[in-house]
Amino acid sequence: MKKTIRDIDVSGKKVLVRCDFNVPMQNGEITDDIRITSALPTIRYLIENNAAVILMSHMGRPKGEPKPEFTLKPVAERLQKLLGQEIIFAQSDVVVDAGVEAAAAALKPGQVMLLENVRYRKEETKNEEPFTGQLAALGEIFVNDAFGTAHRAHCSTAGLAAYMPAVSGFLIEKEVKFLGDALEEPERPFVAIMGGAKVGDKIPVIKNLMKKVDTLLIGGGMTYTFIKAMGYDIGTSLLDEESIDLAGELLAQARHDGVNLMIPVDSVCAREFSNDSEKIVCDSTAMADGYMGMDIGPKTVELYSDVIAKAKTVVWNGPCGVFEMPNFEGGTKAIAQALADSDAVTIIGGGDSAAAVEQFGVADKMTHISTGGGASLEFLEGKELPGIVCLEEK
Ligand code: AMP
């Protein structure tokens, strides 16, 4: 178990907190501030416990240079409104300079300052000096609360832990609790649903989950690489040629290990990758010539919904079809509803599946929605995340 801010005395200390303020922006305006509101409990706790709070984050990909469109100034303004107290914005093209050092030194307990986008510095994503040392000189305790970047070893996500006591904030604590408990001590039956398009990325996750789950439901674009591996025709469906053999190996491994690896039995298909394309339903063993699978079909929805209804723990990563197109959102929507109706612990692995439960209005019915797509995928893959490994053990 990793230490959290509850396990360390922060009173009177300068606390450096890595947040994930990588918010979506349009014309200089923040279009969704969920990442800022999610960080408030940790920030409030530190203020209430008399810490001087220095916040850090990245936004977008300025690629190691100061780019005004990626400034964190709008975040400072929004945070100030949400928190109802002054946020000192340490504007600097190099993130840390003499002015920022002086401002940090003068920061009093209960005050909050926000540094400029850490990715203005080219060292950040390489976890290199002198940037880590410059950041470290500003504080005495490092708190990581940015789960979305925890799978990256950067100066502000992992490097700082070499300089000072390092603990997690409440957001990372929650992620580790839900994702970790699901993998280590799930209530059974434990079901995982893996969808999305990138089979190559997801095969290592499927491999790891096969050791843990009772049933694994496959959906989305990667379905067709599996169906191809089973020896059937897939028309013009998405295919990852390089993963056909691996998909075949996973099917064999599932049979050998007694894991119920389920592949869609039917698909909603179209001639074109377009919402306006005429749609038909095909069995997986009889895909119509010239058609591509765009969504799981009605028989698959029924079978999968049954499995979900009986589950006690469900982890979902990746949509079951092209849910961005209304004509092909049905499968993903039905699976989201099945999760909403179930009394299992339901965990959504970030990215597109998080967007899907939002889109279908069932987000508040889920037990936990992970804030990090890539990070939650690596967690489910069984990998150690550098931004979490570096934190102190209890
Ligand atoms: P991923 O990033 O791997 O989770 O993939 C998410 C994307 O997969 C979404 O944009 C979906 O539109 C896409 N997707 C889901 N099902 C299919 C499908 N049958 N064919 C092509 N793309 C799909």
Side-chain angles (χ1 to χ4, degrees):
M1 280 270 266
K2 294 296 181 183
K3 278 190 187 167
T4 77
I5 43 179
R6 279 191 221 90
D7 302 310
I8 194 162
D9 183 10
V10 296
S11 179
K13 299 270 169 52
K14 298 231 157 62
V15 180
L16 279 161
V17 190
R18 176 57 156 96
C19 297
D20 179 1
F21 291 147
N22 185 26
V23 291
M25 304 278 297
Q26 228 164 36
N27 307 323
E29 295 288 326
I30 297 169
T31 54
D32 182 354
D33 66 4
I34 178 92
R35 291 193 165 156
I36 307 179
T37 53
S38 307
L40 293 177
T42 294
I43 300 171
R44 285 206 178 104
Y45 175 92
L46 291 170
I47 295 169
E48 280 159 18
N49 285 275
N50 217 30
V53 186
I54 303 169
L55 305 172
M56 310 171 281
S57 178
H58 79 282
M59 188 202 281
R61 295 184 178 186
K63 302 207 168 128
E65 282 170 36
K67 297 216 175 98
E69 65 270 34
F70 295 116
T71 178
L72 284 178
K73 191 151 189 272
V75 171
E77 286 161 3
R78 181 65 60 95
L79 190 57
Q80 179 155 305
K81 269 200 199 119
L82 290 165
L83 216 49
Q85 81 168 62
E86 188 199 1
I87 302 296
I88 301 163
F89 181 55
Q91 201 147 26
S92 164
D93 281 356
V94 291
V95 189
V96 184
D97 59 20
V100 174
E101 282 166 2
L107 199 70
K108 296 196 182 60
Q111 288 189 317
V112 182
M113 81 186 255
L114 171 64
L115 302 184
E116 185 51 285
N117 190 337
V118 286
R119 289 198 190 163
Y120 275 13
R121 290 286 294 262
K122 61 181 184 335
E123 303 100 305
E124 165 65 5
T125 53
K126 298 183 200 138
N127 194 13
E128 279 177 2
E129 298 294 355
F131 188 44
T132 317
Q134 290 171 353
L135 287 172
L138 305 178
E140 297 158 278
I141 294 173
F142 170 49
V143 175
N144 192 7
D145 211 21
F147 185 70
T149 47
H151 57 317
R152 306 276 181 235
H154 294 170
C155 300
S156 69
T157 64
L160 279 170
Y163 283 86
M164 59 189 93
V167 300
S168 81
F170 295 138
L171 269 182
I172 285 202
E173 179 191 32
K174 192 164 159 240
E175 294 279 3
V176 171
K177 178 177 163 20
F178 281 108
L179 292 170
D181 282 2
L183 291 184
E184 297 317 321
E185 40 196 58
E187 239 197 286
R188 294 184 181 276
F190 177 17
V191 175
I193 309 157
M194 294 296 295
K198 299 179 216 96
V199 208
D201 281 7
K202 301 207 175 164
I203 279 183
V205 185
I206 296 174
K207 259 191 167 157
N208 188 45
L209 287 176
M210 284 230 298
K211 291 184 254 161
K212 322 242 177 202
V213 300
D214 300 295
T215 301
L216 214 154
L217 308 175
I218 298 292
M222 64 175 158
T223 300
Y224 308 96
T225 303
F226 280 92
I227 294 179
K228 183 85 180 173
M230 290 157 80
Y232 296 106
D233 208 16
I234 57 165
T236 54
S237 303
L238 196 69
L239 173 66
D240 181 351
E241 289 271 1
E242 282 174 19
S243 301
I244 301 174
D245 289 348
L246 273 167
E249 283 165 28
L250 285 175
L251 289 163
Q253 191 191 327
R255 273 193 301 276
H256 179 266
D257 297 349
V259 173
N260 188 16
L261 175 59
M262 293 177 75
I263 310 297
V265 294
D266 61 351
S267 291
V268 179
C269 305
R271 271 193 186 280
E272 317 277 341
F273 191 78
S274 152
N275 189 50
D276 304 325
S277 189
E278 171 223 358
K279 57 179 184 176
I280 58 168
V281 174
C282 300
D283 281 344
S284 298
T285 52
M287 182 72 83
D289 215 20
Y291 280 80
M292 64 182 85
M294 298 283 278
D295 192 9
I296 54 173
K299 284 188 238 167
T300 307
V301 165
E302 213 177 307
L303 287 169
Y304 283 14
S305 299
D306 254 15
V307 170
I308 293 166
K310 292 185 188 115
K312 285 275 177 275
T313 306
V314 185
V315 171
W316 182 15
N317 187 291
C320 293
V322 187
F323 76 110
E324 299 93 335
M325 298 182 192
N327 278 331
F328 305 102
E329 67 173 24
T332 306
K333 190 174 182 176
I335 295 302
Q337 194 56 51
L339 260 72
D341 294 341
S342 105
D343 55 10
V345 171
T346 47
I347 296 164
I348 310 300
D352 277 332
S353 5
V357 291
E358 284 287 346
Q359 180 175 321
F360 302 128
V362 292
D364 61 341
K365 300 264 175 22
M366 303 300 144
T367 313
H368 176 67
I369 301 178
S370 177
T371 50
S376 68
L377 213 54
E378 290 201 13
F379 199 104
L380 296 174
E381 196 179 324
K383 278 195 185 159
E384 293 198 315
L385 310 188
I388 293 177
V389 173
C390 71
L391 307 177
E392 289 183 4
E393 284 291 329
K394 271 197 191 181

